[in-house]
Amino acid sequence: MCGVLRLRAMDNQQQSTNHSRSSSQLFERAKQLIPGGVNSPVRAFRSVGGSPFFTERASGAHLYTADGNELIDFVCTWGPAIHGHNDPDIAAAIGKALKNGTSFGTPNPYEVEMAELIVDMVPSVEKVRMCNSGTEATMSAIRLARGYTKRDKIIKFAGCYHGHVDSLLVKAGSGALTLGYPDSAGIPSSFAAETIVVEFNDPDALRAVLNEHAANVAAIIVEPFPANCGLILPDAHYLAFLRDQCTQHGIVLIFDEVMTGFRLAAGGVQERVGITPDLTALGKIIGGGLPVGAFGGKAEIMDYLAPLGPVYQAGTLSGNPLAMAAGIAALKKLKTNNPYPLFEKLGMTIRNALINAAIEKGMPLQVPQVGSMFALFFSESPVRNYTDAINSHTERFTQLFRYALDHGVYLPPSAYETCFICTAHDGSDIERAAEVLAAGIKAM
Ligand SMILES: *Cc1c(COP(=O)(O)O)cnc(C)c1O
């Protein structure tokens, strides 16, 4: 930990309430009570070693740990914090909504405003249903596609993560991959048999599957820029190819934009590349830091949902007024501030610093980057799919992760996650992080 950050960290310590709760003490207590000590597995730091730090407070682009350290954060709560942590506008919106109550169990005005915003911002969405997580969004979108097409099979891509939905935890990315469970235990093989897995960026592989199964395929679900296996960029025309194949075979194309929605453009990847899916899963940013998901798309398909249609989907807290208020504030701020050109610039700055350091060091490094998302693969050639990703030198990523953390920069604790830039990363955060990461590469 460098001197400057240590000093700032001490300021923070004075505000903190209970110094006897160090991260290691908290983790010991947590492990007695919570499986692995965590409520979501990658947080346990298993793949990078050591034990996790506990965060007491977060503000802007910085985390303040239970141990009094201040970190520049590139995880941004795994994507949602696009405006940085504890954004004052979002906090004020939650505070205002809170005065009126936390949940009503009836329709509320916020839901209508949220739906208007989503339909306005996301090109393919004509109607939308709110839920409580990205997992619920993809699970429901798949059920809807099956109900609509009256077909059972779905196609997903190796390394894409769509939440912990049974039929989607097959060759899955994110924590499932990080911790070595791309195919989770506890999923009946009869469920998994309805999921066909194809390598991303490989048109022939998909054609071969469709030749055999097209008439039974309800949906193709894809992260259009897969961001749970590091970051994988789609080849030119690949997403257009998926669109064509779905149209040709009457298959519902589902873009899982839980990560990319509102991040790669106000309208997500579909706006950025001009390709229109039939259904879209949303989450993360849409909740402004509270637990929210949504799925939407063509009215004709969405009207298959209960109470209009035969596909059942529900949620006690769906459309929760506090969550809606937070999300509305987050989305409105994106519309007003248009941070996307700045993200392109900041993303390139980090990318260039990393690439230059690696060249100087003579170490092969790929830094896929798009706008505010980037990842590091210690690999000789560009990573185009899951197989390339798992063949990269993840132990080098781990080394860099540890160096960065020791020097006040928090990268995701896995080579198979994506780093995020937020609007609260100012020039000096980016400069400092670029310096630390470059030094970390040189020190290898
Ligand atoms: C995070 C994520 C999910 C799951 O969302 P949860 O809110 O964690 O359930 C689904 N799909 C993608 C692409 C994600 O990044």
Side-chain angles (χ1 to χ4, degrees):
M1 178 61 54
C2 79
V4 179
L5 288 177
R6 174 59 74 187
L7 268 181
R8 281 200 269 173
M10 284 178 54
D11 277 356
N12 175 50
Q13 252 182 9
Q14 279 149 16
Q15 294 169 18
S16 144
T17 43
N18 182 350
H19 300 296
S20 65
R21 298 178 311 162
S22 71
S23 290
S24 60
Q25 288 167 328
L26 284 163
F27 195 48
E28 284 313 310
R29 279 165 61 199
K31 281 192 289 188
Q32 306 300 314
L33 306 163
I34 306 169
V38 290
N39 283 312
S40 195
V42 185
R43 294 182 198 167
F45 276 26
R46 287 286 179 107
S47 77
V48 290
S51 67
F53 62 84
F54 281 59
T55 302
E56 279 194 337
R57 186 169 76 81
S59 176
H62 297 201
L63 299 179
Y64 301 86
T65 76
D67 314 300
N69 294 325
E70 176 174 356
L71 302 169
I72 305 175
D73 179 20
F74 287 96
V75 181
C76 293
T77 187
W78 306 94
I82 196 165
H83 300 294
H85 295 286
N86 207 6
D87 175 75
D89 296 321
I90 297 175
I94 296 171
K96 196 168 158 216
L98 182 59
K99 293 205 178 90
N100 295 323
T102 57
S103 175
F104 311 134
T106 71
N108 70 65
Y110 294 105
E111 295 169 288
V112 187
E113 191 178 354
M114 177 60 108
E116 281 168 350
L117 267 170
I118 296 169
V119 169
D120 173 40
M121 291 172 83
V122 186
S124 70
V125 175
E126 296 169 2
K127 285 193 175 179
V128 62
R129 173 69 58 85
M130 303 308 299
C131 53
N132 304 292
S133 69
T135 296
E136 278 185 47
T138 59
M139 176 184 78
S140 306
I142 278 177
R143 183 182 307 142
L144 177 56
R146 285 174 162 154
Y148 174 76
T149 57
K150 304 186 176 61
R151 301 172 178 177
D152 289 341
K153 291 206 184 300
I154 53 172
I155 295 176
K156 80 175 282 288
F157 297 90
C160 281
Y161 177 70
H162 304 291
H164 59 99
V165 179
D166 278 350
S167 57
L168 295 173
L169 273 182
V170 185
K171 279 263 193 303
S174 192
L177 177 57
T178 299
L179 300 167
Y181 314 103
D183 308 288
S184 169
I187 296 173
S189 50
S190 57
F191 290 17
E194 300 296 352
T195 305
I196 302 169
V197 181
V198 175
E199 195 83 278
F200 190 75
N201 272 335
D202 184 346
D204 288 341
L206 182 65
R207 276 196 203 97
V209 165
L210 290 176
N211 272 342
E212 196 173 336
H213 297 287
N216 299 319
V217 174
I220 294 181
I221 184 166
V222 64
E223 291 184 72
F225 279 63
N228 284 288
C229 188
L231 176 63
I232 296 175
L233 308 180
D235 291 346
H237 310 305
Y238 186 66
L239 296 174
F241 164 76
L242 296 183
R243 174 67 277 176
D244 286 349
Q245 293 296 311
C246 286
T247 305
Q248 196 176 318
H249 296 289
I251 295 169
V252 174
L253 177 62
I254 305 173
F255 273 9
D256 178 353
E257 296 226 44
V258 170
M259 194 81 105
T260 52
F262 312 104
R263 179 167 285 282
L264 291 188
V269 171
Q270 50 199 276
E271 176 188 324
R272 196 178 169 105
V273 304
I275 289 168
T276 309
D278 301 302
L279 293 176
T280 302
L282 297 166
K284 298 197 167 118
I285 289 172
I286 208 175
L290 293 188
V292 182
F295 60 104
K298 284 190 182 146
E300 183 202 337
I301 304 178
M302 292 300 289
D303 286 348
Y304 267 67
L305 284 176
L308 292 181
V311 176
Y312 193 71
Q313 188 277 338
T316 302
L317 292 173
S318 295
N320 173 269
L322 297 188
M324 294 302 99
I328 289 165
L331 299 191
K332 277 189 174 164
K333 202 164 168 159
L334 290 173
K335 283 183 69 166
T336 320
N337 294 2
N338 184 23
Y340 305 102
L342 177 66
F343 282 155
E344 302 293 331
K345 215 178 98 197
L346 297 179
M348 286 290 267
T349 304
I350 292 253
R351 178 174 190 278
N352 290 341
L354 289 166
I355 296 280
N356 289 338
I359 290 173
E360 239 177 86
K361 174 79 180 172
M363 179 175 280
L365 175 66
Q366 308 294 325
V367 187
Q369 175 258 332
V370 53
S372 57
M373 300 165 75
F374 65 95
L376 292 92
F377 288 113
F378 290 91
S379 166
E380 281 74 17
S381 47
V383 170
R384 296 180 56 253
N385 57 37
Y386 171 84
T387 308
D388 293 346
I390 61 173
N391 286 328
S392 69
H393 298 283
T394 55
E395 72 290 347
R396 289 191 189 154
F397 176 87
T398 300
Q399 245 182 301
L400 183 62
F401 169 87
R402 298 236 58 100
Y403 181 95
L405 190 58
D406 287 344
H407 292 80
V409 174
Y410 179 46
L411 299 178
S414 160
Y416 300 126
E417 302 286 351
T418 291
C419 306
F420 296 107
I421 297 168
C422 68
T423 58
H425 281 115
D426 60 19
S428 70
D429 289 321
I430 296 290
E431 204 177 303
R432 166 97 192 121
E435 260 170 42
V436 166
L437 295 176
I441 290 170
K442 287 176 196 160
M444 277 181 180

